[in-house]
Amino acid sequence: MSKKTKSFIYNLIGFGTLFFLFIYLFGKVIPLESFWVKLIAFVVATVLSPKFQAVRTKDGERLFMKWIFIKGIKVLE
């Protein structure tokens, strides 16, 4: 599996997990219509989810992660 595919899957898993978690939590706490709960959950999950990116370097293709809760950029592979 290529690094670009891995980064896409990791982004999807990270965002999807937070998105569905926030839909559930905000649906229980905020008394709004379903559309607004999903929109708020989308924005919050977009901001809080980790970002993965595959970059071609002189050493080959590498996988990097940036997250709001970790200082700097982390090299995964």
Side-chain angles (χ1 to χ4, degrees), residues 7-72:
S7 69
F8 175 75
I9 291 172
Y10 291 157
N11 281 323
L12 186 64
I13 290 170
F15 172 79
T17 303
L18 289 176
F19 178 66
F20 288 117
L21 175 72
F22 289 134
I23 283 179
Y24 177 75
L25 291 176
F26 293 155
K28 296 288 183 184
V29 175
I30 301 173
L32 291 174
E33 294 180 25
S34 175
F35 171 76
W36 293 108
V37 171
K38 291 176 184 171
L39 182 67
I40 293 168
F42 171 78
V43 171
V44 172
T46 301
V47 171
L48 295 181
S49 65
K51 291 9 175 222
F52 296 90
Q53 186 172 9
V55 177
R56 187 174 306 275
T57 63
K58 61 183 176 184
D59 299 330
E61 198 170 28
R62 312 272 321 245
L63 189 62
F64 295 94
M65 180 188 78
K66 184 176 181 183
W67 199 17
I68 193 170
F69 301 113
I70 296 176
K71 185 183 256 186

